[in-house]
Amino acid sequence: MERIYDKALFEKIIREYPIEEALTDYKEYPIELVLFKKGEHLFKYGEPLAYICFFISGRAKVYSLLANGKHFLHTFYHQFELIGDIEFVNRLDIRTNVQALTEVYCLLLPLNECHARLYDDRKFLRAACSHLASKLDSREQLNSHNIFYPLEERLASYIINTSDGLVFHENLTSLSELLGTSYRHLLRTLKDFCDRGYLEKENGVYKITAPNALKTLGADIYMNYY
């Protein structure tokens, strides 16, 4: 995590994103502009909640580690989002992992400096409750998607959301766990995508040759469902 001391960029973000809708007298808060590099974790499961995060730009994935040691994919962040509200309201340690897939810009509120103030800030509490209600509704939709949507649709959404410059490269063993399928079934589905002209395998990676077809097939299954 790198702190960004760019006043012009900070003020631009404040103007363009609804920070004032979530905080009363936001100028009184010790807001920090930070950059997470690709692969870094914004949050890690089980760690104490150190800050409230306003996700500004970039892409990140949200996943859990299950009791059997496997990973489970929840969703992707790609636009303005309040993160840490569940843990803050319920006084919990971090419940999910959030990992940057690209460079990610965030505004952070360090809780060691403003914890009590946030609990007294009605505007923030309203924003947190609104996000919690939205996440509860979205989680029900996510559960339905994971149960009823076939692997090809979930995989298409995953590829679109994690590709870098139309190149998809991922550890397939880990990916099969994330998507709740077998390694063989995943390989068969990727081969099918290649046969249908959606992907082309080259030097151990997959190039996306029909992004619009994958977007249509995936239908943003994992977007904003957590």
Side-chain angles (χ1 to χ4, degrees):
M1 180 178 73
E2 176 186 352
R3 288 176 173 81
I4 306 298
Y5 302 100
D6 186 329
K7 185 176 180 181
L9 177 59
F10 178 84
E11 292 177 348
K12 180 176 182 291
I13 289 173
I14 292 294
R15 288 195 305 270
E16 294 181 356
Y17 294 88
I19 305 302
E20 291 184 85
E21 297 177 12
L23 296 172
T24 302
D25 299 325
Y26 76 90
K27 293 181 180 180
E28 301 299 320
Y29 282 94
I31 304 176
E32 301 175 345
L33 175 61
V34 301
L35 170 66
F36 290 93
K37 295 182 180 179
K38 180 179 178 179
E40 284 191 289
H41 278 82
L42 287 66
F43 291 89
K44 284 188 176 181
Y45 176 84
E47 293 185 351
L49 182 68
Y51 46 75
I52 292 294
C53 175
F54 294 100
F55 187 96
I56 300 301
S57 65
R59 282 183 294 152
K61 68 179 178 182
V62 184
Y63 66 96
S64 293
L65 180 64
L66 303 179
N68 61 7
K70 295 184 177 182
H71 294 86
F72 178 80
L73 179 66
H74 289 288
T75 190
F76 295 93
Y77 290 143
H78 69 111
Q79 58 189 11
F80 183 80
E81 185 70 48
L82 175 60
I83 312 176
D85 47 349
I86 293 176
E87 293 85 351
F88 179 82
V89 171
N90 292 296
R91 300 176 184 267
L92 299 171
D93 289 337
I94 295 170
R95 308 300 292 168
T96 56
N97 298 286
V98 182
Q99 184 179 26
L101 297 172
T102 64
E103 288 191 340
V104 170
Y105 283 92
C106 298
L107 294 177
L108 301 185
L109 285 175
L111 292 178
N112 63 337
E113 298 182 44
C114 59
H115 196 280
R117 183 183 180 88
L118 284 172
Y119 267 114
D120 291 333
D121 190 331
R122 294 182 179 180
K123 186 177 286 189
F124 174 76
L125 292 177
R126 284 197 299 269
C129 288
S130 176
H131 276 78
L132 287 173
S134 177
K135 288 175 180 177
L136 178 61
D137 178 63
S138 296
R139 183 176 291 183
E140 293 180 359
Q141 297 182 52
L142 172 65
N143 289 337
S144 297
H145 286 164
N146 284 328
I147 293 173
F148 298 112
Y149 277 61
L151 174 63
E152 67 169 19
E153 296 182 22
R154 291 183 285 121
L155 178 59
S157 181
Y158 187 91
I159 290 173
I160 288 297
N161 284 297
T162 60
S163 61
D164 184 9
L166 296 183
V167 174
F168 175 68
H169 179 55
E170 187 112 358
N171 183 300
L172 298 185
T173 301
S174 298
L175 179 57
S176 64
E177 292 182 0
L178 276 177
L179 298 180
T181 189
S182 69
Y183 181 76
R184 288 185 177 181
H185 191 190
L186 177 62
L187 288 182
R188 286 196 299 268
T189 306
L190 286 169
K191 182 180 183 304
D192 181 58
F193 281 3
C194 291
D195 292 342
R196 292 156 71 176
Y198 298 164
L199 302 174
E200 179 180 312
K201 190 174 182 180
E202 184 177 311
N203 298 324
V205 302
Y206 291 90
K207 292 185 177 181
I208 300 175
T209 50
N212 290 334
L214 283 178
K215 288 178 182 178
T216 299
L217 181 61
D220 290 335
I221 287 174
Y222 288 113
M223 301 305 293
N224 299 322
Y225 286 131
Y226 188 75

